[in-house]
Amino acid sequence: MSPKQFTAALLIALLGSLFIWFAAPYNNFILSNAFISDDFMPVGAVGIVLLIVLVVNPLLHWLAPRFRLNSGQLALIFGILLAASITPGQGGLRHILYPIGATPSFVSRDDGLAEAYEELNLPPQLFPERLQADADVPASEHFIDELPDGEPIPWAKWKGPLLAWGGFFGPYWLMLTAMALIVLPYWRDTERQPFPLLQAQRALIEGTGGRALPPALSNPLFWLGFGTVFLLHLLLGFHQYFPTRVPAIKLYFNLAPLFTEVPARYLPWFIKSNQIHFLFLGIAYFMPNRVGFSIWFFQLAYAIFIMLNLAYAPPFDGRVVLDHRLGAWIAIPLGILWMGRRHWAAVMRCVFSRPRNDEELRNKVGGTALLAGMLGVLCWLLWVRVPFLWALALVAILFLFALGMTRIVAETGVPLMAPDSRYVVTLANLIPVAWRTAAGMYFSGIIGIVSGHLNRICATTMLTHSLGLDPKAAPRRHIRLAAIFLTTILLSVLIGGAVQVALTYRHVNTLNEARDVMGHGGAGYFRAFAEPLLRNFVTGKVSTRDYNQWGHILFGASLAALLLTMCYLSPKWPIHPVALLFVGNWYAHRIGFSVFLGWSLKTLMLTYGGARAYKAARKVFLGFMIGEVAAVVLWAVVAAAVAALGHEYQVVRILPF
């Protein structure tokens, strides 16, 4: 790629990123529309790439061929757009920005909460205003209840929180970026991980070979799949706008009335009713066979486990499933580290030695950045008075959960998953009372949010795909790209964060009055995870369970370790442990049936059509995926346009957000 081509791609990517940073907060929180930046196949980024690939590039191909964007430029643009999509929603600002702005107001109204925060003795820079009972906190109050007309936004109040929390998130994102730089080449080239989602993303930007469209998008089978799904969702959207004039083809089923007898009536809802999501159906077609099988098999197995316990062994505490999953979330990342121990050791050796080639240079940069990021997070936790060993454990959790999330997507391609924020809360409640401190408990809740909800758009996972879009990229190029992507994340916080603050001060409710903007933005996450731990510490309350919680955590860890070992020893072993991470998960419940359909169709295709038919059908399933994403783009644009004209708009929900 020449310097001019690089500059052109960079400018296009910057314009697209600015669109995402302005459009995502307005679309997600003001329109209360289907989210456009909140999974690993972000609708906003994919929509921009489709616009370039299907409209701009074909026009340039016919009118000005020398200006047509090549696959290297498209990979750079797409990679930056993916990085730009990390923070505007689930990956950062939604779950952190709103609680920061709202906490002073919550504390001022609650004497008990004010006493708890006084015991915590936080640095005052963490919040826009002081944390004190009955305090005058207009900046926080107006953040929740809307700014009076004519009053300026109190930007000065946000300088302290920006710098204070930046001391955590800057090193945190540096750590996650470094992890992507380290794991991608090893998982791709040595472990041969399938990266199903990356395969689909690459298909959109492959070299055209002199044609107007990439090969996959030139295939009639792609357009068959695309058109079928797009038409179904077109009817769905028009039905919402014109319910009496346009019929909709239902993509869901509800068999609950058939399950009325014991024990069947105790089956969880997701077995009795569910919906087809073509994005996940298509992804399942690209998954390794045992991964797709394991995901739906474990969903069914645990549904039967829950049913039998509710029917024949009451009382049954459903949180045991959470404990099994927590054990798996610890065991699987540790197992991944163990299997790649030689690579990680080589990376650490490169940190402290002179690189002999470009691969070692990449390892040196990645390892140094990883250690610097982890040290920065550790120092920040010590600054907020978390005990050293506790802070070290929280850094390890951030690392392990990001590694596990990235491995899930590398194995399965599922673009919508996350650890549970309750994992760290559960572990904090298991710590002996004598070891507890106010800061340790409170920031365990904060780290729970970061390692849980924010990992729905895990930066390591997204940047692994951003770096992998160009399979020909050399190690030195990976280093440059990683720097560009990290810069993009930091810019997204400044620009996207400013947009969200401004919108929140000017709007108290969504335009369709479906909910308040603060509630939609996750203002209660500190209250749900961090503050209960703090209150319990101050009051001396100890959270306990009526069952052997450690036993269930160890069961989940042991089962995951056993399955991981079997997969490592035998490629033909049919059950993959990554499916344990889906058990009892909110997102997994909504996609399990679609994964089952995709796996079934793939199995039938291989059994009766052979490898040739399977390969040809991949284009159809890619069309399913892109058709559904394009439908989300369409109805998001329609809702925004109708709202701009002052009319009542409809929110057409297609994906399970």
Side-chain angles (χ1 to χ4, degrees):
M1 189 189 309
S2 68
K4 288 184 178 180
Q5 290 175 325
F6 177 81
T7 302
L10 203 60
L11 289 174
I12 294 170
L14 178 60
L15 290 174
S17 298
L18 287 171
F19 172 79
I20 290 171
W21 297 335
F22 279 87
Y26 185 81
N27 175 83
N28 295 1
F29 307 130
I30 306 303
L31 291 178
S32 189
N33 208 352
F35 290 178
I36 63 171
S37 65
D38 293 79
D39 60 73
F40 298 115
M41 193 76 161
V43 170
V46 175
I48 293 170
V49 171
L50 286 176
L51 178 65
I52 295 172
V53 170
L54 297 179
V55 179
V56 176
N57 248 9
L59 288 176
L60 293 175
H61 173 79
W62 292 316
L63 302 177
R66 67 192 184 95
F67 293 114
R68 186 179 60 190
L69 298 171
N70 59 41
S71 58
Q73 289 175 292
L74 290 172
L76 176 62
I77 293 169
F78 201 177
I80 292 175
L81 293 177
L82 291 178
S85 302
I86 292 171
T87 64
Q90 307 280 10
L93 296 175
R94 179 187 180 195
H95 297 305
I96 296 297
L97 179 66
Y98 291 88
I100 289 172
T103 294
S105 178
F106 294 151
V107 172
S108 70
R109 305 172 189 177
D110 187 333
D111 291 344
L113 186 59
E115 291 177 8
Y117 271 101
E118 186 176 353
E119 175 76 18
L120 186 56
N121 193 24
L122 288 173
Q125 301 93 329
L126 289 175
F127 296 95
E129 294 170 299
R130 59 180 177 167
L131 304 178
Q132 183 178 329
D134 301 319
D136 184 24
V137 286
S140 183
E141 294 286 355
H142 294 153
F143 191 68
I144 296 174
D145 298 326
E146 195 172 327
L147 200 65
D149 291 339
E151 190 166 331
I153 295 171
W155 293 111
K157 296 286 187 180
W158 287 88
K159 291 181 182 177
L162 174 64
L163 294 174
W165 288 96
F168 170 80
F169 281 104
Y172 171 67
W173 282 315
L174 175 63
M175 178 181 82
L176 299 192
T177 303
M179 289 174 64
L181 197 60
I182 292 169
V183 302
L184 172 67
Y186 181 72
W187 288 0
R188 181 191 62 191
D189 303 331
T190 303
E191 293 193 358
R192 301 291 183 180
Q193 292 300 326
F195 288 100
L197 190 60
L198 182 56
Q199 292 182 46
Q201 292 168 342
R202 281 180 184 164
L204 300 179
I205 58 170
E206 284 178 339
T208 59
R211 291 174 291 186
L213 296 174
L217 276 61
S218 302
N219 193 301
L221 291 176
F222 169 85
W223 290 106
L224 173 65
F226 181 100
T228 301
V229 173
F230 193 79
L231 177 61
L232 288 172
H233 291 308
L234 197 66
L235 291 173
L236 172 66
F238 277 122
H239 177 73
Q240 286 192 221
Y241 278 94
F242 310 105
T244 60
R245 299 181 183 179
V246 180
I249 298 175
K250 295 181 179 180
L251 298 175
Y252 64 89
F253 65 90
N254 182 10
L255 304 179
L258 303 179
F259 295 87
T260 57
E261 301 296 327
V262 175
R265 70 187 179 96
Y266 290 108
L267 271 173
W269 66 267
F270 58 89
I271 299 295
K272 296 180 284 190
S273 62
N274 219 304
Q275 182 174 342
I276 299 174
H277 298 288
F278 288 95
L279 173 59
F280 300 98
L281 189 154
I283 282 291
Y285 194 82
F286 287 85
M287 286 180 193
N289 222 35
R290 67 178 174 183
V291 172
F293 167 77
S294 299
I295 289 175
W296 71 259
F297 170 78
F298 268 109
Q299 292 278 334
L300 180 60
Y302 264 86
I304 294 172
F305 168 73
I306 292 169
M307 175 190 71
L308 294 178
N309 275 278
L310 287 173
Y312 302 119
F316 171 69
D317 193 330
R319 290 177 293 181
V320 301
V321 177
L322 174 71
D323 294 329
H324 294 178
R325 199 168 72 231
L326 170 56
W329 266 102
I330 295 172
I332 290 177
L334 288 174
I336 294 166
L337 279 178
W338 174 254
M339 289 189 294
R341 62 193 180 278
R342 293 178 182 173
H343 174 65
W344 289 97
V347 170
M348 290 300 109
R349 283 195 299 271
C350 290
V351 172
F352 302 102
S353 62
R354 186 181 184 88
R356 295 169 296 182
N357 51 51
D358 287 352
E359 285 78 9
E360 289 192 358
L361 177 63
R362 177 174 57 195
N363 286 342
K364 183 180 182 68
V365 172
T368 303
L370 174 65
L371 294 177
M374 296 177 82
L375 180 62
V377 173
L378 178 65
C379 290
W380 189 88
L381 290 171
L382 295 176
W383 176 62
V384 294
R385 302 179 182 88
V386 177
F388 176 76
L389 291 178
W390 201 323
L392 205 60
L394 292 178
V395 173
I397 286 172
L398 289 171
F399 174 83
L400 288 175
F401 282 8
L403 187 69
M405 188 66 234
T406 306
R407 187 57 167 242
I408 286 178
V409 182
E411 297 266 13
T412 70
V414 170
L416 187 66
M417 256 291 289
D420 197 311
S421 294
R422 292 173 292 175
Y423 295 158
V424 184
V425 173
T426 297
L427 294 173
N429 281 323
L430 291 172
I431 292 174
V433 174
W435 298 0
R436 300 182 185 185
T437 68
M441 297 300 285
Y442 179 79
F443 283 100
S444 291
I446 301 296
I447 296 302
I449 299 168
V450 174
S451 63
H453 279 83
L454 266 64
N455 269 339
R456 176 166 166 175
I457 315 295
C458 175
T460 299
T461 310
M462 192 75 95
L463 297 185
T464 299
H465 288 76
S466 295
L467 290 170
L469 284 168
D470 185 355
K472 299 179 181 178
R476 286 183 179 271
R477 180 168 173 78
H478 274 169
I479 296 170
R480 291 193 293 270
L481 288 174
I484 292 171
F485 298 150
L486 178 59
T487 303
T488 302
I489 295 174
L490 298 178
L491 283 175
S492 73
V493 174
L494 293 174
I495 299 173
V499 172
Q500 291 199 26
V501 169
L503 289 174
T504 307
Y505 272 116
R506 298 302 182 189
H507 297 270
V508 65
N509 291 315
T510 57
L511 290 186
N512 59 2
E513 297 187 350
R515 65 185 80 195
D516 65 274
V517 171
M518 287 291 294
H520 195 66
Y525 282 100
F526 281 22
R527 310 190 80 185
F529 300 107
E531 290 174 4
L533 287 172
L534 177 61
R535 285 182 187 264
N536 288 349
F537 173 81
V538 172
T539 60
K541 181 181 177 182
V542 178
S543 178
T544 59
R545 302 278 176 90
D546 294 330
Y547 58 87
N548 182 1
Q549 191 172 12
W550 273 116
H552 284 282
I553 293 173
L554 290 174
F555 171 81
S558 301
L559 180 58
L562 174 64
L563 295 177
L564 191 64
T565 302
M566 295 303 297
C567 284
Y568 182 71
L569 294 175
S570 173
K572 294 184 178 181
W573 175 255
I575 302 176
H576 200 287
V578 76
L580 272 175
L581 307 182
F582 287 76
V583 171
N585 182 277
W586 187 90
Y587 309 120
H589 288 164
R590 285 154 178 78
I591 69 172
F593 179 69
S594 299
V595 171
F596 169 73
L597 282 182
W599 172 85
S600 301
L601 292 171
K602 177 182 178 180
T603 302
L604 290 172
M605 190 67 66
L606 284 170
T607 302
Y608 297 104
R612 186 174 180 180
Y614 162 74
K615 187 175 180 180
R618 286 165 62 96
K619 304 297 189 297
V620 178
F621 285 85
L622 178 64
F624 286 167
M625 296 165 59
I626 304 305
E628 187 150 273
V629 172
V632 177
V633 172
L634 170 69
W635 290 116
V637 170
V638 168
V642 172
L645 293 173
H647 300 299
E648 183 179 350
Y649 63 94
Q650 298 292 325
V651 176
V652 181
R653 300 219 177 266
I654 295 172
L655 295 175
F657 292 144

